[in-house]
Amino acid sequence: MFFQKKSISASHNTSNQNLIVQLTKISGSRNVITDPSKMGLYCNGFRYGSGKAIAIVTPEHILDQWNVVKACIESNVIIIMQAANTGLTGGSTPDGNDYDRDIVIINTMKMKKIYVINNGEQVICLPGATLNELEQKLRPYHRDPHSVIGSSCIGASVLGGISNNSGGALVQRGPAYTEMALYAQCNKEGKLELVNHLGVELGNTPEEILGRLDHGNFDHELIKQSDKCCSDHHYRDHVCEVDAPTPARYNADPNHLYEASGCAGKLSIFAVRLDTFPQEKETRVFYIGTNDPNDLTNIRYNMLSKKIVPISGEYIHQDAYNIAAIYGKDTFIFINCLGTAYIPQLFSLKNKFDFITNKIPFFPKHFSDKAMQFFSKLFPQHLPERMNEYAKKYEHHLLLKVGKEEIEPVRSHLKSYFKEKTSGSFFECNAEEGRKAFLHRFAVAGAAVRYRNVHTDTVENILAIDVALRRNDKEWVEHLPEEIEEPILHKLYYGHFFCHVFHQDYIIQKGYDVFALEEKMLRILDQRGAEYPAEHNVGHLYPAKDPLKNFYKDLDPCNAFNPGIGKTSKLKNWKE
């Protein structure tokens, strides 16, 4: 028996070595990493999740990606598709080491091509294209991608947003969504199939289709229009249904699960076709503060019921405002001075620096965060005076950015509403105040992470929940029982108020069980009819509900891609 095990192990290792040789022939030695000391950036999630892989492959061409996937399927290894690895729930890395097969991670970030089609009204994006790069590509056309200043600033990929039905701050656009994609799928027989639903004639074989697309060998101006959607065309009306007893959007909404959209890595995607959006030529930002949450409830209800839909309607709680004013200051200053173009590179350099210094014993953990926090104190006050005055007076803050046609109706409504109110007020931002208000709102999103990394001696971890409340839920302010309140040092509430999607970051005291606390909180959200996660997808933190689990099984019947996602089976053929 001893010799039999040894023989099986030797055979297993030989098989892996043969696969690695094959992957190297396909992608080149510079694009295959097998040294465990160099795998950390790919095997460890941005905020959560880690595990082992036998190889990391970073193909430079989508035909190479196809051949790598095909070799992995034939060798019976697990494939984890990974783009920028900026997800918050660990969905693009291994989750532990209890899989029944070895893992190969395919990182797609070297394949960055973007094709602008239909006079800029649509684009075709390859797997490594980032939101930031797409935004720059569309600038000469005076158009925008689905998301701006959000996950784009940390280098998030376009395909990552589609794969996770990601939301964003722009009320009128809804979740990232398309019905037009080019992808590979493992069928029930364990064979790889290429599916071309891009609506572009590229040939018949994988070599033709992927080769022509990679080289842009098609007529960009003669691509046919399609009755398939490349964005959610109905969301603007949907979000205005303020009396509906269901959330406006959340990751697992069955209405937005379609092939690549919401697939969470259960397919190998080569390209997606997406709508773009005209830039607003004239906008205005209204800054609202109040101590009565019913004021914000009424403003949202009155505007949406009259079909007055802002470009963006962002909420910040006073505590989140104040924490971000300190722990998001350097982020604010970086973007304010340099713009968003350099932030992905800075973010990438920081990750690499942390990866190296964490291995050096005399360096403190999270050294880069502690250094940046120290230097941020040397800079003068960065937030506008009127905003800081509101932060002292009011508990609840709402930022409304509206287009030209909505400026006067919103101005009139707010003047009329606050005429007799003593609980709150508003002011109309000048250009600089408006820009800085939304920049500060973005800085809130990373403030909890910075606080945790600076205060490792008192903080156990962050408990981060993104939740979609019912559209008719007027009791949106959370009230927690004492047993849950006790371990919490700080609560940071912020979010996309008009979509009724909230981010709730809890900074937990040292010594408490974060996962046990989360289970209690999620039970409360279940009782409220909320859906979660709203934007960051299930990853390896949340269980996939039956509709989402069935969607994954239909896409990947052999469980070859990203098994275990949504706390599902990690075993081949979905065995329990």
Side-chain angles (χ1 to χ4, degrees):
M1 182 65 71
F2 172 80
F3 291 105
Q4 184 181 3
K5 285 185 177 180
K6 186 175 180 180
S7 175
I8 291 171
S9 176
S11 174
H12 177 73
N13 290 335
T14 301
S15 176
N16 283 348
Q17 287 301 318
N18 290 338
L19 174 61
I20 290 167
V21 169
Q22 195 175 356
L23 299 178
T24 304
K25 285 181 180 179
I26 294 167
S27 295
S29 58
R30 67 181 180 277
N31 295 321
V32 179
I33 302 170
T34 56
D35 182 349
S37 67
K38 297 178 181 179
M39 290 184 176
L41 288 173
Y42 305 92
C43 291
N44 297 306
F46 170 51
R47 185 185 280 182
Y48 174 85
S50 65
K52 294 179 181 178
I54 60 169
I56 313 295
V57 187
T58 59
E60 297 177 7
H61 303 282
I62 53 176
L63 182 55
D64 292 347
Q65 179 183 328
W66 162 265
N67 286 323
V68 167
V69 172
K70 188 177 180 183
C72 290
I73 292 292
E74 291 172 351
S75 297
N76 192 35
V77 300
I78 287 167
I79 300 162
I80 294 181
M81 301 301 307
Q82 181 185 88
N85 192 17
T86 57
L88 301 183
T89 56
S92 55
T93 61
D95 176 44
N97 299 307
D98 55 343
Y99 296 84
D100 62 341
R101 293 151 289 167
D102 290 312
I103 295 171
V104 170
I105 297 173
I106 302 175
N107 183 283
T108 62
M109 292 306 291
K110 291 183 178 179
M111 298 172 286
K112 292 180 173 293
K113 290 179 182 176
I114 299 169
Y115 302 115
V116 181
I117 61 174
N118 296 334
N119 298 315
E121 293 183 5
Q122 289 187 323
V123 291
I124 294 174
C125 296
L126 269 56
T130 67
L131 288 164
N132 187 273
E133 290 160 349
L134 179 55
E135 189 175 346
Q136 294 180 52
K137 186 88 170 181
L138 291 173
R139 197 162 289 153
Y141 297 88
H142 305 289
R143 298 184 73 85
D144 282 328
H146 171 269
S147 299
V148 295
I149 193 163
S151 54
S152 59
C153 292
I154 58 174
S157 70
V158 176
L159 264 69
I162 292 295
S163 296
N164 294 303
N165 283 147
S166 299
L170 302 176
V171 182
Q172 302 169 7
R173 299 182 191 174
Y177 179 73
T178 187
E179 296 171 359
M180 306 192 78
L182 173 64
Y183 58 88
Q185 183 173 31
C186 185
N187 64 23
K188 292 179 181 179
E189 287 72 41
K191 303 295 183 183
L192 199 64
E193 298 177 345
L194 186 66
V195 180
N196 180 11
H197 287 165
L198 275 181
V200 182
E201 292 296 332
L202 294 166
N204 298 309
T205 66
E207 289 73 20
E208 283 181 300
I209 294 168
L210 298 170
R212 288 182 62 184
L213 182 62
D214 201 8
H215 293 96
N217 186 17
F218 58 94
D219 194 328
H220 299 192
E221 303 303 321
L222 294 179
I223 293 175
K224 296 176 182 178
Q225 294 290 347
S226 171
D227 57 356
K228 289 188 175 182
C229 295
C230 294
S231 63
D232 184 349
H233 296 173
H234 307 291
Y235 187 75
R236 182 168 181 150
D237 293 329
H238 181 72
V239 78
C240 288
E241 295 171 0
V242 287
D243 292 314
T246 55
R249 58 176 172 87
Y250 57 99
N251 292 127
D253 184 350
N255 294 316
H256 293 118
L257 300 177
Y258 187 93
E259 296 180 351
S261 296
C263 74
K266 301 301 286 183
L267 301 171
S268 179
I269 308 171
F270 302 99
V272 292
R273 179 170 164 181
L274 302 170
D275 290 334
T276 67
F277 304 86
Q279 290 178 349
E280 294 280 353
K281 295 180 180 179
E282 183 180 348
T283 63
R284 200 66 48 88
V285 174
F286 296 91
Y287 198 104
I288 301 162
T290 182
N291 288 314
D292 183 356
N294 289 321
D295 288 338
L296 303 190
T297 300
N298 293 335
I299 290 168
R300 172 182 172 270
Y301 189 92
N302 293 339
M303 285 179 59
L304 291 181
S305 61
K306 295 174 182 175
K307 304 289 186 181
I308 301 173
V309 184
I311 297 168
S312 186
E314 293 293 286
Y315 170 77
I316 310 176
H317 187 272
Q318 186 181 49
D319 292 344
Y321 183 105
N322 292 331
I323 292 279
I326 299 171
Y327 295 94
K329 185 177 180 179
D330 59 315
T331 299
F332 182 103
I333 291 169
F334 276 138
I335 299 177
N336 191 49
C337 295
L338 301 177
T340 59
Y342 297 102
I343 301 302
Q345 291 94 316
L346 289 171
F347 181 80
S348 177
L349 285 172
K350 178 185 179 300
N351 277 350
K352 290 176 181 176
F353 179 80
D354 287 340
F355 180 66
I356 294 169
T357 55
N358 283 342
K359 295 181 176 181
I360 303 173
F362 60 81
F363 268 91
K365 195 174 182 182
H366 305 301
F367 176 73
S368 65
D369 284 285
K370 291 173 180 176
M372 288 189 291
Q373 190 59 37
F374 172 80
F375 285 113
S376 71
K377 297 175 184 178
L378 305 179
F379 287 86
Q381 174 57 247
H382 60 295
L383 296 174
E385 185 178 349
R386 288 201 286 182
M387 284 171 54
N388 284 333
E389 288 175 358
Y390 268 46
K392 293 174 184 176
K393 290 172 61 177
Y394 300 120
E395 182 179 0
H396 306 284
H397 298 234
L398 178 62
L399 287 59
L400 285 182
K401 183 177 182 179
V402 299
K404 183 177 180 180
E405 293 182 5
E406 284 80 29
I407 293 174
E408 188 51 45
V410 171
R411 181 189 290 135
S412 298
H413 175 64
L414 293 178
K415 283 181 177 179
S416 173
Y417 184 84
F418 285 109
K419 187 176 182 180
E420 305 296 332
K421 289 280 184 179
T422 59
S423 54
S425 186
F426 81 99
F427 65 87
E428 197 167 328
C429 296
N430 60 36
E432 183 181 13
E433 288 173 327
R435 181 174 57 81
K436 288 186 173 181
F438 276 91
L439 182 48
H440 184 57
R441 160 60 186 88
F442 169 71
V444 172
V449 175
R450 171 61 58 80
Y451 188 100
R452 178 197 65 185
N453 293 350
V454 170
H455 298 284
T456 51
D457 54 335
T458 58
V459 176
E460 181 68 31
N461 211 331
I462 300 165
L463 198 173
I465 297 174
D466 60 305
V467 57
L469 301 183
R470 305 187 319 269
R471 281 168 284 174
N472 67 348
D473 191 346
K474 297 184 178 181
E475 300 296 325
W476 53 272
V477 176
E478 184 174 62
H479 301 285
L480 295 173
E482 182 61 31
E483 62 173 313
I484 295 179
E485 284 275 7
E486 184 180 349
I488 300 173
L489 288 169
H490 298 285
K491 295 179 290 187
L492 279 66
Y493 295 116
Y494 55 100
H496 316 305
F497 188 70
F498 273 58
C499 296
H500 244 27
V501 167
F502 293 87
H503 298 284
Q504 302 173 176
D505 293 347
Y506 309 91
I507 300 172
I508 309 300
Q509 292 183 55
K510 202 79 172 177
Y512 283 89
D513 186 336
V514 175
F515 292 105
L517 279 172
E518 183 179 40
E519 287 183 11
K520 293 177 181 178
M521 288 185 175
L522 296 183
R523 285 199 291 270
I524 294 172
L525 292 174
D526 288 336
Q527 292 167 7
R528 297 177 63 187
E531 290 283 354
Y532 53 83
E535 294 191 317
H536 297 149
N537 217 342
V538 289
H540 290 291
L541 283 179
Y542 298 94
K545 294 182 179 179
D546 286 342
L548 184 59
K549 187 187 297 186
N550 292 335
F551 176 66
Y552 291 159
K553 287 183 176 181
D554 287 342
L555 292 181
D556 182 19
C558 294
N559 210 14
F561 291 94
N562 209 5
I565 198 77
K567 298 186 180 294
T568 58
S569 171
K570 292 182 177 180
L571 307 182
K572 188 173 182 178
N573 298 323
W574 297 90
K575 293 178 181 177
E576 295 297 333

